[in-house]
Amino acid sequence: MPGDPSVSIVVPSRGGAGHLPRLFEALARQSLDDWEAVVVLDGDVDDSSAVVRLAAKELPVRLVVFDDNQGRPAALNAGFRAAKGDVLVRCDDDMVPGPNYVENHARAHEERDVGVVGLVRNVYPDTSYARAYGRAWDARYRRDAYRVDPAETWRYWAGNCSVTRRLWERVGPYDTAFRSYGWEDVDWGYRLSRTGVPIVLDPRLETEHRGPAATTAARAQRAFYAGAAKRRFDSKHGMVPASGTQRSAWRSAVMGLQLGLDEKRVTRLGRAVDRAAMFLPRPLAHKAVALVVEASSEAGQRISAAGDAI
């Protein structure tokens, strides 16, 4: 009987039947073959299980299926519990890892206790959002991330990261209270950082991401949900939100706009900006998208703070 793999790749998925084949193709080309993938379907809404079972005929892929939607933290916890490897990699279903992905994650844990993050390179369809905002934002995000103070790298814990099993057990499972979009990862990274373990951003692990928000409407909706989740994170850890004392015309515009937004209005406003961005000069379109995204995040925080469910 073969021994357990050294690396387990945990893939939470919901509605990922269109993405998973590309991920499996990339995993089939890995330079290190001592791995397994554990795909957790958070409710199978598109027959993703058939895609996984087909891949499992050729690759070391295992499947966990929830009968209904339990949320991404629950899916991650189930995947890590089922994993057999010593190095535990968290990989979203819309990633396209390079051929040294598994090997580089494994090597990063050979000499010391460390949390490892690979940033993502978003691949956008040619939308007005991508042209006006998305691609420029993506490049700036990665540039700024590599310059961040090491004490703040926990903020980048996301869909491409790894720890050893010992560290996973030390920190404990993802917090299933984070049911809306985002921040369950940041919460886990923050908890890891509180143990004193360094978290490093490894440029070798930058990975192509094929599922970014491709419109202002979609990005604004994610920002709204993420704002609500951020408020939960701040409350849980006793973080003090920015006071807003450094007023500017831009900040005033963001805070003024967010007062009129709720979940439905965020989407409608995003769609309007998507239409307008096709005709506006690019600098103006960029400002319009940024305004909606930032205001949507603030609206999510405001509504969450008021105790309304999101």
Side-chain angles (χ1 to χ4, degrees):
M1 293 292 292
D4 291 338
S6 63
V7 179
S8 291
I9 305 161
V10 175
V11 183
S13 184
R14 180 173 173 83
H19 293 301
L20 285 165
R22 190 180 291 116
L23 171 62
F24 293 143
E25 289 173 6
L27 292 178
R29 297 192 293 267
Q30 293 301 302
S31 58
L32 179 70
D33 59 8
D34 187 15
W35 60 270
E36 66 165 356
V38 181
V39 180
V40 184
L41 300 184
D42 188 18
D44 189 356
V45 296
D46 60 354
D47 204 19
S48 289
S49 57
V51 176
V52 178
R53 290 190 179 101
L54 180 62
K57 294 179 179 180
E58 304 290 339
L59 298 171
V61 177
R62 293 189 288 123
L63 177 64
V64 177
V65 183
F66 291 170
D67 290 336
D68 52 19
N69 178 228
Q70 298 183 34
R72 188 161 57 185
L76 287 165
N77 291 338
F80 283 117
R81 284 194 299 268
K84 297 178 179 178
D86 184 59
V87 174
L88 304 177
V89 179
R90 181 229 197 282
C91 179
D92 280 350
D93 64 0
D94 51 6
M95 300 290 187
V96 185
N100 298 319
Y101 177 82
V102 174
E103 183 177 3
N104 286 336
H105 268 295
R107 286 185 172 179
H109 299 281
E110 288 178 345
E111 297 182 356
R112 60 171 178 159
D113 285 339
V114 66
V116 179
V117 175
L119 300 177
V120 300
R121 299 187 301 274
N122 289 319
V123 178
Y124 295 96
D126 191 26
T127 62
S128 60
Y129 166 83
R131 293 191 298 272
Y133 184 84
R135 293 179 182 126
W137 178 91
D138 189 57
R140 184 173 64 251
Y141 178 86
R142 292 196 307 276
R143 180 197 66 207
D144 293 346
Y146 288 125
R147 297 173 179 173
V148 77
D149 188 298
E152 298 292 316
T153 49
W154 56 267
R155 297 181 181 277
Y156 296 91
W157 201 263
N160 176 20
C161 53
S162 63
V163 291
T164 60
R165 177 175 298 279
R166 186 170 68 85
L167 284 179
W168 164 258
E169 292 173 349
R170 181 176 173 184
V171 175
Y174 282 80
D175 185 347
T176 56
F178 288 92
R179 285 298 302 268
S180 62
Y181 179 82
W183 285 82
E184 77 282 349
D185 289 306
V186 178
D187 174 74
W188 203 92
Y190 178 71
R191 288 157 52 202
L192 175 61
S193 74
R194 293 292 297 271
T195 70
V197 171
I199 296 174
V200 299
L201 276 57
D202 189 338
R204 298 174 303 169
L205 287 166
E206 276 196 17
T207 300
E208 188 177 288
H209 177 225
R210 289 298 185 111
T215 65
T216 308
R219 178 63 186 277
Q221 188 178 61
R222 291 186 185 184
F224 179 81
Y225 294 137
K230 179 183 184 301
R231 185 72 187 195
R232 177 180 293 278
F233 173 88
D234 289 344
S235 177
K236 175 181 176 178
H237 295 292
M239 301 285 189
V240 179
S243 65
T245 55
Q246 295 181 344
R247 288 291 178 181
S248 66
W250 178 259
R251 182 65 179 170
S252 296
V254 168
M255 297 307 291
L257 179 59
Q258 67 90 16
L259 290 173
L261 295 179
D262 57 21
E263 187 173 0
K264 292 182 179 179
R265 288 174 181 149
V266 159
T267 302
R268 288 200 294 265
L269 181 58
R271 288 171 179 163
V273 170
D274 280 324
R275 292 191 294 270
M278 293 188 289
F279 307 104
L280 291 172
R282 185 165 296 182
L284 186 57
H286 182 97
K287 289 289 188 182
V289 175
L291 180 63
V292 172
V293 170
E294 292 184 32
S296 297
S297 174
E298 294 290 346
Q301 294 180 60
R302 169 179 52 81
I303 292 174
S304 178
D308 295 334
I310 295 180

